[in-house]
Amino acid sequence: MKLQRMNRRALTLGALAVSGALALTACGSDDNGGGSTSTSSSSANASSANCGTAKKGQQLLADGSSAQKNAIDAWVKAFSQACGVQINYKGGGSGAGVTSFNQGQLAFAGSDSALKPEEVTASKKVCSGGQGIDLPMVGGPIALGYNVPGVDNLVLDAPTLAKIFDSKITKWNDAAIKKLNPSATLPDLKIQAFHRSDESGTTDNFTKYLIATTPANWKYSGGKAWQAKGGQSAAGSAGVAAGVKQTSGAIGYFELSYVGDGVKPVSINTGASAPVAPSTDSATKDIADAKIVGTGSDLKLQLNYNTKAEGAYPITLVTYEIVCDKGNKADTLPATKAFLTYIASEEGQKVLSTIDYAPIPDAIITKVRSTIASIS
């Protein structure tokens, strides 16, 4: 992780720890619908009232999306100080999280891709009388970070990205890149395209963007596992970002929080009047256009990768927290429900924009809060 950004995160997390109890006072008990922002004296007197029936010293095990790891770390810092609950979130990737959840090993999982039908079926074995559901909790752009000496601003579009990551464009001074960057001095340098070596929702969302926007140039079926040939691989978003930082001529995909200290973000030509850079604001504009396509208590979203809206960044992901709607383990349910209630609260969501993530739009997060209140 980049030292400069780590120092900034350390200051952010320290501030969150100090304000954690204050943030949690607005969550109410875990029976209030999850979204209350009451500031009544009864909710502000004791953090125990905001932790539900979670027991101090209890430990929760969770795993999944590395994309949301920095967000989870910030939330855990505040929640643990206020409620005394220890949450161990491994961040081993979306695929690992879903697998472990469906094996009954986790209180909840994080995934940048909604559960597939077969994964929902598998979840019924561990969710007694219920099933796993998707709760959209963290938004953010998938940044294309690059390390090209002498190039401070870089614009790419979907066809060019597809050809780069499919080893069809191999030099930075390729004519297609020159056309998109007429004022840049592009070196005769080999492109080193980094992708994830582990199963990843970030990979799934990035390739969904390529499939949706340039199917003629990206003929792979997509999914959490990388399918294109060639390139360099690394585990986790942190691994890909480190590879880009250490390699001249490199480019890779990861969350915005991993950009910085020698790694610059690509702006995307979407067809709007100006290229769009990844930011929390540009991601939120895209997520606001998403539709809920899940059924029942499942809140799976359909994102618009083809957006041409002004200022909307098209390569956006939403990380879901996966939990049983019914049949959660009795010993972990109170703490799990309290933690999810906090991170979905107005205060919990406000944390995201301070660490390069995008809050979930109000219309969607309101439904998440009411769903959390109903889990059992």
Side-chain angles (χ1 to χ4, degrees):
M1 187 63 63
K2 296 160 275 301
L3 180 60
Q4 197 173 36
R5 191 166 289 271
M6 284 181 67
N7 288 339
R8 182 168 67 83
R9 287 195 190 116
L11 291 173
T12 300
L13 294 180
L16 288 169
V18 172
S19 63
L22 293 176
L24 288 169
T25 59
C27 300
S29 72
D30 64 357
D31 296 321
N32 73 349
S36 171
T37 55
S38 169
T39 56
S40 66
S41 58
S42 61
S43 67
N45 285 338
S47 61
S48 60
N50 309 292
C51 301
T53 56
K55 298 179 181 179
K56 288 188 176 182
Q58 185 173 10
Q59 297 185 13
L60 293 182
L61 180 62
D63 193 8
S65 165
S66 67
Q68 69 167 359
K69 182 67 164 61
N70 294 328
I72 290 287
D73 286 348
W75 282 329
V76 167
K77 184 81 171 181
F79 181 78
S80 296
Q81 180 161 329
C83 297
V85 175
Q86 298 180 40
I87 300 175
N88 179 8
Y89 184 83
K90 294 182 179 180
S94 297
V98 172
T99 297
S100 295
F101 178 80
N102 281 341
Q103 292 174 345
Q105 299 175 8
L106 307 177
F108 68 92
S111 177
D112 307 322
S113 300
L115 292 169
K116 298 177 181 177
E118 61 269 24
E119 293 171 337
V120 173
T121 299
S123 73
K124 294 179 180 180
K125 296 179 181 179
V126 296
C127 301
S128 179
Q131 66 179 49
I133 57 173
D134 301 290
L135 302 175
M137 203 73 75
V138 182
I142 300 175
L144 279 301
Y146 70 97
N147 176 3
V148 181
V151 180
D152 294 326
N153 297 289
L154 183 69
V155 175
L156 296 174
D157 59 12
T160 308
L161 281 169
K163 292 173 185 177
I164 286 173
F165 280 90
D166 199 24
S167 302
K168 300 294 177 57
I169 291 178
T170 60
K171 291 290 188 71
W172 279 110
N173 61 350
D174 185 273
I177 302 177
K178 284 184 176 180
K179 185 176 180 180
L180 290 164
N181 300 271
S183 62
T185 302
L186 298 165
D188 182 14
L189 179 65
K190 182 180 179 180
I191 295 174
Q192 303 281 358
F194 278 80
H195 59 266
R196 291 281 288 272
S197 60
D198 53 323
E199 289 200 354
S200 160
T202 310
T203 294
D204 191 16
N205 281 274
F206 175 50
T207 55
K208 279 179 179 176
Y209 162 74
L210 297 176
I211 292 168
T213 55
T214 184
N217 294 298
W218 194 262
K219 298 183 180 296
Y220 303 97
S221 61
K224 294 177 183 176
W226 185 257
Q227 296 172 322
K229 305 299 181 184
Q232 308 291 328
S233 65
S237 293
V240 173
V244 173
K245 178 183 177 181
Q246 296 164 7
T247 308
S248 180
I251 185 172
Y253 58 91
F254 33 74
E255 293 64 48
L256 182 61
S257 58
Y258 292 95
V259 170
D261 191 21
V263 178
K264 302 179 180 68
V266 172
S267 292
I268 303 298
N269 182 345
T270 65
S273 63
V276 185
S279 71
T280 57
D281 288 342
S282 62
T284 298
K285 287 181 181 179
D286 186 56
I287 297 169
D289 196 30
K291 297 178 181 179
I292 296 176
V293 295
T295 58
S297 55
D298 184 76
L299 299 177
K300 174 183 176 181
L301 300 179
Q302 183 178 72
L303 298 171
N304 181 10
Y305 296 106
N306 273 300
T307 184
K308 291 180 174 58
E310 296 297 329
Y313 185 79
I315 318 176
T316 302
L317 63 74
V318 169
T319 294
Y320 302 91
E321 309 313 328
I322 295 169
V323 67
C324 298
D325 59 352
K326 299 177 182 177
N328 288 279
K329 294 179 180 178
D331 59 336
T332 59
L333 175 60
T336 300
K337 195 168 182 177
F339 180 66
L340 293 177
T341 297
Y342 162 57
I343 68 178
S345 71
E346 182 178 348
E347 287 72 20
Q349 287 290 298
K350 282 182 178 177
V351 169
L352 295 176
S353 59
T354 70
I355 48 175
D356 295 327
Y357 291 97
I360 301 298
D362 289 343
I364 299 172
I365 201 67
T366 297
K367 295 180 180 181
V368 172
R369 292 166 186 159
S370 62
T371 301
I372 293 170
S374 69
I375 66 174
S376 61

